[in-house]
């Protein structure tokens, strides 16, 4: 499967985004998804698919709906090293062509950092810094008179003339907003003059016409470009027809008022969407800007993407840790809030694991890089969050389908309203019914729900990420509303996974030291918490030369030949299969049995500690209305039942192999209702089959666990079971707001359509029914990002 991502710069119409997605999906062999919030079109096809020929079709479809969109393939390369960024230069295509003709620029492409595109021009390293700086600055003036650049010297003679992203974004919005406010002001003044002054009809027409063209000229221009590309039912076209129709029947003030209020709505709409994008982006503003590479006696500031495993870096106070690594020297507190949602700082010291995205608070840390940038925690999380919008919730999918039919139905309803009543009703005038039809046209755009619904889910995902909960799509967020059963793994999920050998029970022919030694040699290659606890209890050095054979039997135990003896270490099932009789079994705890040369040697009792918030999390789940809480454990029946009774779990299944857990989950699946969902919560280490089989797979302790991030649908970055409750509460808050928006938008539109049909509502009210409702719904959607109160 080939996957390509295209940036759709200047995509500002949610309804157009859904139409683009629908039409691109009709290209044979191509699967498309448009993420409106990130302005990214994702294309997937089989490996032998001809992307080159299909891209022309994709481009035609995109420009049919949004002529001003600039399309470029999303680059995975760094935007930091040797770059010149320039956003909103006016004519981007022209700038790209001119940039490619400058000698020192050898590559040009359009990139996007999450939500804002930028033209990026890559330059080679400078040989003569002063000459290069002058050459680059002068050359850039040829590209755009509106762009200003500041020169910055980077170590190793790397010259990058850059403008900070925040500065560029701020200037872009300020420039756009100023133009809109200028049009609104001049248009409003002329409109006010036309309303106040008593002028002859032709002078009044000129005044209102000027006001109309200033306020709505851009809308008419977009409508014409859309018509030329075959796009009729666009918002611009409908607004143009409605207002031109108002002028044609002599309703000049209302025609202008619709355009003015539409412009006001646009300003508020863009501000609200921009603010929500900014808020969500700020939540995940964890991408490192640079790394301090230690190279001999020098410290060089380089791009994190250039570092490799084994490199040594310095992290100063106030800086983000750029890549995953291990602390070599230094002690410091780090802020983990961006990844875990926790406000309490974490202490790092030599030997500690440090994850990219942490913010160093006070000390200087020397670290050894353990993962490349692409494999680091921050990279995986950013990719997960940015692509979450591609998995749409059923409500989003419904709205997308609904929008396809809503506008044409209302438009044809308007046509019928204009033509049929004058033919049927005696004395009815065409002018009156055409006016009512124009009211229909103004309300016909479905933007209120097409924008606010995806924004609600996107905000919910962003709000969850702020609390250290990574949701891979709106579909999983919505599914959390229908959870009936929560199924838990035990070790590492409800318990801390910090095991200790609390009792050693040898048989008469064996000493405690012998029993621990045999068990330790059997567990010498284990990374399981139980095996590690045995190795810790042994406290001796393992002489690997004394181990002749080593075999792991999944879900049972280990068979090892050491000291010339065959050693079996495992659970009761393993011993019974081997024909070894068991004695003095413990009533609780995890029991590891040991046999030497087919003779039972004794057992070790391993105890695990229950997490502090596990019991309260189970109780809170029941308070939320979860019907059943279930424990699936590979541990012994006494140990599993002991944990279940202490936490108040409803059902417990013990002594299960990984395959048995899947079987039990399928049994539970048959007991739920048709719409009910099952959540499985595990640590992501040995739970991949069950995580995949559950309706919603939730992995706990995702920080530093690649397996958890890859396998689960929802990742809890910390080891707190209470985060499950938080995730469900966020999902429910998201649904409440989405439902509010749907009911409000539908209710108001139906109300004004009815009032318009009966001649009660004017075009002034109709504008509120369109842009006013959209703005209110968007503002309401932004509330979901506040997760302090759930």
């Amino acid at each position: 499967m080939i996957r390509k991502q295209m940036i759709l710069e200047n995509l500002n119409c949610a309804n157009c985004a859904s139409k683009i997605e629908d039409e691109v999906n009709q290209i044979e062999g191509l699967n498309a998804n448009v993420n409106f919030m990130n302005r990214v079109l994702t294309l997937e096809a089989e490996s032998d698919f001809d992307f080159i020929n299909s891209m022309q079709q994709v481009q035609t479809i995109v420009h049919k709906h949004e002529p001003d969109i600039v399309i470029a393939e999303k680059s995975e390369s760094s935007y930091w090293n040797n770059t010149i960024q320039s956003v909103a230069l006016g004519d981007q295509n022209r700038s790209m062509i001119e940039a490619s003709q400058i000698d020192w620029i050898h590559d040009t492409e359009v990139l996007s950092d999450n939500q804002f595109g930028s033209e990026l021009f890559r330059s080679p390293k400078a040989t003569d810094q002063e000459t290069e700086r002058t050459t680059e600055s002068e050359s850039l003036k040829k590209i755009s008179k509106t762009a200003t650049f500041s020169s910055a010297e980077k170590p190793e003679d790397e010259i990058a003339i850059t403008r900070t992203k925040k500065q560029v974004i701020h200037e872009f919005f300020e420039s756009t907003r100023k133009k809109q406010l200028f049009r609104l002001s001049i248009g409003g003044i002329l409109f006010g003059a036309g309303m106040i002054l008593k002028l002859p009809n032709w002078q009044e027409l000129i005044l209102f016409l000027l006001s109309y063209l200033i306020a709505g000229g851009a809308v008419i221009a977009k409508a014409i470009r859309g018509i030329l590309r075959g796009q009729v039912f666009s918002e611009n076209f409908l607004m143009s027809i409605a207002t031109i129709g108002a002028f044609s029947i002599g309703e000049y003030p209302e025609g202008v008022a619709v355009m003015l209020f539409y412009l006001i709505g646009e300003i508020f709409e863009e501000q609200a969407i921009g603010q929500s994008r900014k808020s969500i982006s700020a939540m995940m503003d964890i991408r490192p800007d640079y790394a301090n590479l230690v190279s001999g006696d020098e410290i060089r500031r380089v791009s994190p993407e250039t570092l490799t495993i084994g490199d040594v870096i310095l992290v100063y106070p106030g800086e983000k840790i750029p890549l995953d690594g291990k602390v070599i020297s230094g002690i410091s507190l780090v802020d983990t809030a961006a990844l875990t949602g926790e406000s309490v700082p974490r202490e790092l010291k030599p030997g500690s694991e440090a994850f990219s995205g942490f913010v160093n608070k006070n000390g200087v840390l020397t670290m050894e890089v353990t993962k490349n940038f692409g494999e680091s925690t921050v990279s995986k999380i950013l990719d997960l969050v940015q692509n979450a919008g591609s998995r749409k919730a059923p409500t989003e999918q419904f709205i997308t389908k609904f929008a396809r039919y809503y506008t044409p139905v209302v438009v044809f309803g308007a046509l019928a309203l204009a033509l049929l009543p004058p033919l049927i009703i005696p004395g009815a005038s065409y002018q009156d019914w055409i006016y009512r039809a124009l009211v229909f046209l103004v309300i016909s755009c479905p933007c209120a729900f097409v924008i606010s619904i995806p924004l609600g889910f996107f905000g919910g995902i962003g709000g969850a990420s702020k609390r250290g909960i990574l949701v891979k799509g709106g579909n999983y967020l919505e599914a959390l509303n229908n959870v009936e059963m929560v199924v838990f793994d035990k070790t590492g999920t409800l318990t801390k996974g910090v095991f200790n050998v609390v009792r050693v029970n040898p048989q008469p022919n064996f000493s405690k030291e012998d029993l621990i030694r045999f068990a330790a040699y059997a567990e010498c290659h284990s990374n399981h918490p139980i095996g590690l606890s045995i190795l810790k209890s042994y406290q001796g050095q393992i002489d690997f030369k004394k181990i002749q054979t080593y075999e792991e039997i999944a879900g049972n135990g280990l068979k090892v030949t050491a000291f010339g003896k065959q050693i079996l270490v495992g659970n009761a099932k393993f011993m019974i299969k081997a024909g070894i009789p068991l004695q003095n079994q413990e009533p609780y705890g995890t029991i590891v049995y040991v046999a030497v040369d087919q003779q039972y040697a004794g057992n070790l009792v391993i105890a695990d500690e229950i997490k502090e918030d596990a019991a309260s999390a189970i109780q809170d789940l029941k308070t939320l209305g979860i019907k059943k809480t279930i424990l699936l454990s590979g541990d012994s029946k006494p140990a599993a039942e002991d944990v279940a009774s202490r936490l108040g779990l409803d059902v417990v299944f013990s002594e299960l192999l990984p395959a048995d857990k899947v079987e039990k989950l399928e049994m539970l699946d048959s007991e739920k209702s048709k719409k009910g969902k099952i959540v499985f919560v595990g640590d992501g280490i040995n739970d991949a089959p069950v995580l995949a089989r559950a309706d919603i797979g939730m992995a706990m302790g995702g920080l530093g666990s690649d397996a958890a991030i890859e396998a689960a649908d929802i990742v809890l970055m910390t080891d707190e079971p209470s985060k499950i409750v938080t995730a469900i509460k966020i999902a429910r808050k998201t649904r409440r707001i989405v439902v509010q928006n749907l009911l409000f938008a539908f209710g108001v539109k139906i109300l004004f359509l009815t009032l318009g049909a009966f001649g009660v509502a004017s075009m002034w009210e109709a504008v509120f029914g369109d842009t006013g409702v959209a703005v209110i719904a968007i503002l309401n959607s932004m509330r979901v990002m506040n997760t302090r109160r759930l």
Side-chain angles (χ1 to χ4, degrees):
M1 183 72 73
I2 300 175
R3 186 169 180 264
K4 289 182 180 289
Q5 289 190 312
M6 315 303 295
I7 299 160
L8 305 182
E9 192 55 42
N10 300 328
L11 175 63
N12 295 311
C13 171
N15 193 28
C16 301
S18 65
K19 290 178 181 178
I20 289 169
E21 177 179 295
D22 183 47
E23 292 187 26
V24 173
N25 270 316
Q26 292 175 19
I27 299 175
E28 189 175 352
L30 200 58
N31 184 34
N33 179 279
V34 176
N35 187 331
F36 172 69
M37 296 308 300
N38 284 343
R39 294 170 175 160
V40 171
L41 168 62
T42 302
L43 303 171
E44 290 182 344
E46 297 298 330
S47 56
D48 58 347
F49 186 78
D50 187 356
F51 265 105
I52 296 174
N53 290 330
S54 297
M55 283 311 300
Q56 185 59 48
Q57 290 178 264
V58 172
Q59 186 173 347
T60 301
I61 291 169
V62 170
H63 287 149
K64 169 185 168 184
H65 295 283
E66 280 276 45
D68 295 331
I69 285 180
V70 178
I71 307 173
E73 186 170 351
K74 190 174 183 180
S75 170
E76 301 298 329
S77 58
S78 171
Y79 60 85
W80 184 90
N81 198 28
N82 294 327
T83 67
I84 296 159
Q85 293 186 347
S86 162
V87 175
L89 294 180
D91 188 341
Q92 289 185 310
N93 292 322
R94 174 177 54 77
S95 300
M96 294 284 288
I97 294 167
E98 292 180 5
S100 65
Q101 295 171 354
I102 298 173
D103 293 339
W104 54 268
I105 295 176
H106 60 82
D107 185 23
T108 63
E109 54 185 324
V110 177
L111 297 180
S112 175
D113 178 23
N114 189 24
Q115 77 275 34
F116 293 100
S118 63
E119 291 185 12
L120 182 144
F121 311 103
R122 221 177 288 277
S123 67
K125 291 180 182 180
T127 54
D128 183 338
Q129 294 180 17
E130 293 302 321
T131 304
E132 191 73 14
R133 186 182 296 112
T134 303
T135 304
E136 293 177 356
S137 299
E138 289 177 353
S139 299
L140 284 164
K141 289 177 184 177
K142 299 177 183 178
I143 301 173
S144 174
K145 294 178 182 178
T146 62
T148 59
F149 299 87
S150 61
S151 183
E153 222 174 278
K154 300 291 190 292
E156 204 182 34
D157 294 334
E158 294 175 354
I159 303 299
I161 300 176
T162 64
R163 305 173 71 197
T164 65
K165 181 179 70 174
K166 289 182 180 178
Q167 178 188 352
V168 169
I169 293 168
H170 177 73
E171 290 182 11
F172 171 75
F173 272 112
E174 282 300 309
S175 174
T176 304
R177 194 178 298 114
K178 282 177 181 177
K179 289 178 182 177
Q180 288 177 325
L181 291 173
F182 176 78
R183 286 163 48 204
L184 180 62
S185 301
I186 302 301
I189 290 169
L190 293 173
F191 173 72
M195 293 293 290
I196 296 170
L197 300 176
K198 301 299 180 181
L199 300 172
N201 190 57
W202 66 272
Q203 291 180 356
E204 185 182 68
L205 173 59
I206 291 173
L207 204 58
F208 281 126
L209 191 59
L210 285 172
S211 175
Y212 175 77
L213 292 174
I214 290 170
V219 174
I220 297 169
K222 288 180 182 178
I224 292 170
R225 288 201 297 271
I227 293 169
L228 294 174
R229 289 175 169 84
Q231 176 58 24
V232 177
F233 294 117
S234 69
E235 184 177 13
N236 297 310
F237 173 77
L238 296 171
M239 206 59 65
S240 299
I241 292 296
T243 52
I244 291 170
F247 266 82
S248 68
I249 59 174
E251 299 289 347
Y252 311 143
E254 296 204 16
V256 178
V258 167
M259 275 302 183
L260 286 172
F261 282 116
Y262 178 69
L263 183 56
I264 292 170
E266 262 193 337
I267 293 170
F268 278 107
E269 207 171 285
E270 288 174 12
Q271 179 73 13
I273 293 173
Q275 186 61 38
S276 63
R277 279 175 171 151
K278 183 180 177 182
S279 299
I280 294 166
S281 176
M283 290 176 188
M284 296 307 296
D285 187 20
I286 56 177
R287 181 190 287 274
D289 300 314
Y290 58 85
N292 302 309
L293 174 65
V294 178
S295 180
D297 296 330
E298 292 183 328
I299 299 172
R300 296 187 292 112
R301 183 174 286 189
V302 299
S303 167
E305 295 178 14
T306 64
L307 297 178
T308 57
I309 295 172
D311 284 343
V312 176
I313 58 174
L314 283 180
V315 184
Y316 296 107
E319 292 183 339
K320 295 171 188 170
I321 294 178
L323 293 96
D324 294 359
K326 185 169 286 188
V327 177
I328 300 172
S329 65
I331 299 174
S332 181
L333 294 175
V334 291
D335 182 355
T336 69
L339 300 185
T340 65
E342 300 299 321
S343 57
V344 180
R346 179 183 299 190
E347 185 181 57
L348 295 184
K349 55 188 177 181
S352 299
E353 277 191 296
F355 300 104
S356 52
F358 286 179
V359 178
N360 191 14
K361 300 289 284 184
N362 49 6
V364 178
L365 296 173
T366 304
M367 291 175 45
E368 180 184 350
V369 175
T370 56
K371 288 183 182 177
N372 293 322
F373 181 78
E375 296 300 316
S376 284
T377 302
V378 66
S379 183
K380 287 183 176 292
I381 291 173
L382 283 170
D383 182 66
L384 187 155
V385 174
Q386 289 171 356
N387 289 311
S390 62
R391 297 181 177 94
K392 294 181 179 175
T395 305
E396 287 184 83
Q397 294 171 348
F398 164 75
I399 288 299
T400 301
K401 290 178 181 177
F402 172 81
R404 292 180 206 159
Y405 304 104
Y406 171 80
T407 302
V409 166
V410 175
V411 170
F412 285 115
L415 187 63
L417 197 65
L419 298 178
L420 296 180
L423 298 176
I424 299 172
I425 302 173
S429 68
Y430 274 103
Q431 182 171 339
D432 179 38
W433 287 97
I434 288 173
Y435 181 83
R436 298 185 190 191
L438 296 178
V439 172
F440 261 56
L441 289 179
V442 175
I443 307 175
S444 63
C445 183
C447 284
F449 25 81
V450 174
I451 294 175
S452 64
I453 304 308
L455 181 57
F457 283 106
F458 199 73
I461 291 167
S465 69
K466 193 177 182 181
R467 298 291 292 269
I469 302 165
L470 303 183
V471 185
K472 289 188 176 180
N475 53 338
Y476 303 121
L477 193 66
E478 188 165 35
L480 281 176
N481 287 284
N482 301 315
V483 173
E484 292 181 353
M485 303 181 195
V486 179
V487 182
F488 296 92
D489 179 42
K490 182 175 76 70
T491 305
T493 303
L494 295 174
T495 63
K496 291 183 177 179
V498 179
F499 291 86
N500 291 297
V501 177
V502 295
R503 193 175 293 111
V504 181
N505 300 314
Q507 289 296 95
N509 296 334
F510 298 89
S511 67
K512 289 185 177 181
E513 292 75 15
D514 286 340
L515 193 63
I516 291 175
R517 179 163 56 91
F518 288 137
Y521 269 79
E523 297 280 4
C524 65
H525 295 299
S526 175
N527 60 0
H528 192 280
I530 291 176
L532 295 175
S533 70
I534 294 172
L535 290 169
K536 182 173 68 174
S537 177
Y538 175 52
Q539 295 181 338
Q541 292 291 325
I542 301 292
D543 185 356
F544 290 96
K545 293 179 181 178
K546 293 182 179 179
I547 300 174
Q548 287 82 48
T549 63
Y550 181 94
E551 182 183 358
E552 183 175 350
I553 293 89
N556 286 277
L558 299 153
K559 182 189 290 186
V560 177
T561 303
F563 310 105
K565 300 176 183 293
Q566 186 188 71
I567 303 169
L568 301 181
V569 174
N571 55 27
K573 284 183 179 180
F574 187 36
M575 295 294 149
I576 293 169
K577 283 182 181 179
I580 296 168
L582 302 178
Q583 300 175 34
N584 64 340
Q585 296 188 41
E586 294 286 335
Y588 61 88
T590 300
I591 307 168
V592 176
Y593 298 93
V594 182
V596 179
D597 287 337
Q598 291 297 110
Q599 181 183 356
Y600 180 57
N603 63 56
L604 308 175
V605 181
I606 315 293
D608 190 8
E609 188 178 347
I610 292 175
K611 292 178 180 178
E612 288 83 357
D613 65 336
S616 61
I618 301 300
Q619 184 57 48
D620 289 343
L621 285 171
K622 291 181 179 180
T623 304
L624 288 174
I626 303 303
K627 294 179 180 178
K628 275 187 183 180
T629 53
I630 301 124
L631 179 67
L632 299 184
S633 176
D635 216 335
S636 65
K637 186 175 181 180
E641 289 181 344
D642 177 60
V643 171
S645 63
R646 288 160 67 187
L647 293 179
L649 293 162
D650 300 315
V651 183
V652 56
F653 297 101
S654 57
E655 300 178 0
L656 301 174
L657 299 174
D660 297 331
K661 290 183 180 181
V662 174
E663 186 179 322
K664 292 296 181 186
L665 198 70
E666 288 177 343
M667 179 194 76
L668 293 168
D669 188 69
S670 64
E671 297 175 6
K672 69 178 185 181
S673 67
K674 188 176 180 180
K675 291 184 178 180
K677 303 294 181 185
I678 294 179
V679 172
F680 177 80
V681 189
D683 58 8
I685 297 173
N686 298 313
D687 303 319
V690 202
L691 285 168
R693 177 61 186 83
D695 296 316
I696 306 165
M698 196 177 287
M700 187 173 288
L703 193 60
S705 172
D706 293 342
I709 292 176
E710 293 295 331
D713 305 315
I714 298 174
V715 182
L716 310 179
M717 297 305 290
T718 60
D719 290 313
E720 300 165 280
S722 56
K723 287 287 179 74
I724 303 164
V725 179
T726 304
I728 293 174
K729 286 182 176 180
I730 290 172
R732 291 185 178 182
K733 181 178 181 180
T734 302
R735 183 175 66 175
R736 281 198 306 272
I737 289 174
V738 165
V739 170
Q740 286 169 10
N741 285 341
L742 280 174
L743 293 177
F744 175 68
F746 278 121
V748 172
K749 283 184 177 290
I750 290 170
L751 173 64
F752 281 111
L753 284 171
T754 305
L755 294 176
F758 284 99
V760 179
S762 67
M763 292 180 72
W764 299 64
E765 286 93 351
V767 174
F768 172 77
D770 180 48
T771 55
V773 169
V775 171
I776 292 171
I778 290 167
L779 293 173
N780 191 42
S781 292
M782 290 174 67
R783 293 194 303 115
V784 78
M785 289 181 279
N786 181 7
T787 58
R788 291 179 184 176
R789 286 188 175 184
L790 297 170

